[in-house]
Amino acid sequence: MSVIDFNKLPKPARVNLSYGRVVAYPHKKTHDCKEQIINEFDPKHAGYVLFESYANCPSRDLSKQVYLTHMDTLMIIKAYEEDKRFKTAINEGCHVNACDELKRLRSTGASLATLQSAGKDYGLCESEIVEIFQSGYR
């Protein structure tokens, strides 16, 4: 009888997002059949990067999911780092998303201190945060 050392099992790398997550699942071992069974983390997801978002979804249970290879994910990251037009488009979209999130938070009756804390996390400047706070409920 063999003992399984769970500390040696490959674990997925996970990043939580505001409305979802990204999980990089490890590949299956291929050089030894016996090790493949032990080291396989999740046969359904092994070797993929899962992007999951429930933004603009009726519930978390109905989230949008996409599985990309590790290579495709790396190519997206490289495109962001190397292509100025792509990076600008992503950054501008991120800024609009951050402002929208702060407006949603403001609509709940959040205080200026709460908006400032969240706005700094979103990368917004102080003047934008104050402007959103002063705009009132929407």
Side-chain angles (χ1 to χ4, degrees), residues 41-62:
F41 181 79
D42 185 346
K44 181 180 172 190
H45 301 120
Y48 290 97
V49 179
L50 166 67
F51 290 83
E52 182 175 24
S53 175
Y54 57 91
N56 301 319
C57 292
S59 75
R60 283 185 168 189
D61 297 332
L62 301 172

Side-chain angles (χ1 to χ4, degrees), residues 23 47-51 66-74 76:
V23 183
Y48 290 97
V49 179
L50 166 67
F51 290 83
V66 64
Y67 293 93
L68 297 178
T69 65
H70 291 91
M71 185 183 298
D72 287 339
T73 304
L74 183 61
I76 291 169

Side-chain angles (χ1 to χ4, degrees), residues 2 10 16 22 28 34-35 39 43 50 56 62-63 67 76 80-81 85-86 89 91-92 97-98 100 107 119:
S2 63
N16 290 321
V22 177
K28 299 176 190 176
K34 292 179 184 175
E35 283 189 18
N39 289 317
L50 166 67
N56 301 319
L62 301 172
S63 64
Y67 293 93
I76 291 169
Y80 178 80
E81 293 172 346
R85 187 168 167 243
F86 183 70
N91 289 344
E92 287 174 359
N97 291 151
D100 289 345
S107 71

Side-chain angles (χ1 to χ4, degrees), residues 118-135:
K120 287 179 184 176
D121 290 345
Y122 297 153
L124 298 175
C125 68
E126 188 68 29
S127 62
E128 290 174 308
I129 297 168
V130 171
E131 182 180 323
I132 290 170
F133 179 74
Q134 291 174 346
S135 68

Side-chain angles (χ1 to χ4, degrees), residues 102 105 110-120 126 129 133:
L102 216 57
L105 183 59
S111 68
L112 178 58
T114 302
L115 290 180
Q116 287 172 325
S117 177
K120 287 179 184 176
E126 188 68 29
I129 297 168
F133 179 74

